[in-house]
Amino acid sequence: MKLNYATLAIFVVFVVFVGVWVAHQPLTPMRLVGIAIALPCALLLMVARMQLGSAFSVEAKASKLVRTGLYSRIRNPIYVFGGLTIIGLLLLAGQPILLLLLLVLISLQVVRIRREEKVLAEKFGAEYEEYKRGTWF
């Protein structure tokens, strides 16, 4: 539970920092789209992190299979909403060329997801395969 509070605190500090920065920038259509993408996705990212609870780890390990909440529909909501949050923030920054950085991030995330799926499949076997069939990404 301590990690959930620490994650929440980091998220709140980040939102305040971005909010202060945005308040001093002109609101262009691209920045409005960035806000419209980043804000809800950042909130969903936070929800996904909280729902993962004690199953969260930096390195791939399988302590339990979370199948509730966002995880009942999306196998990797932290990656999905994290990537979308970054897209929104890059648009908010007003530098679309920075979206090229997203290609690097996506490549790294795909490698990480494959490693995690291998660990989960080894630990939970048929249960994980059934879970995969009923969820997206």
Side-chain angles (χ1 to χ4, degrees):
M1 192 55 123
K2 287 182 188 179
L3 272 177
N4 280 340
Y5 290 128
T7 303
L8 182 60
I10 291 168
F11 179 74
V12 168
V13 168
F14 178 74
V15 167
V16 169
F17 177 76
V18 170
V20 169
W21 181 80
V22 167
H24 293 91
Q25 303 297 317
L27 283 179
T28 64
M30 185 174 16
R31 286 197 173 117
L32 289 172
V33 169
I35 291 168
I37 293 171
L39 188 59
C41 289
L43 291 172
L44 287 167
L45 169 63
M46 192 68 224
V47 168
R49 172 58 191 89
M50 299 294 266
Q51 289 175 347
L52 193 55
S54 64
F56 176 80
S57 68
V58 176
E59 292 185 26
K61 65 178 185 176
S63 58
K64 67 180 179 178
L65 184 58
V66 178
R67 299 177 71 158
T68 58
L70 294 171
Y71 290 88
S72 68
R73 301 282 186 228
I74 304 171
R75 281 191 310 278
N76 299 290
I78 287 178
Y79 297 123
V80 170
F81 296 120
L84 289 170
T85 299
I86 291 170
I87 289 171
L89 291 173
L90 293 175
L91 291 172
L92 187 59
Q95 301 294 321
I97 192 72
L98 293 175
L99 290 171
L100 294 175
L101 294 174
L102 193 60
L103 296 176
V104 173
L105 175 67
I106 288 171
S107 300
L108 294 171
Q109 297 296 38
V110 166
V111 169
R112 183 172 170 89
I113 288 167
R114 287 184 179 154
R115 190 174 321 132
E116 288 176 358
E117 286 190 340
K118 182 180 178 196
V119 170
L120 289 165
E122 288 173 359
K123 171 93 179 209
F124 299 106
E127 181 184 4
Y128 182 66
E129 292 303 319
E130 177 189 334
Y131 170 65
K132 279 178 64 173
R133 284 191 296 276
T135 56
W136 176 76
F137 186 73

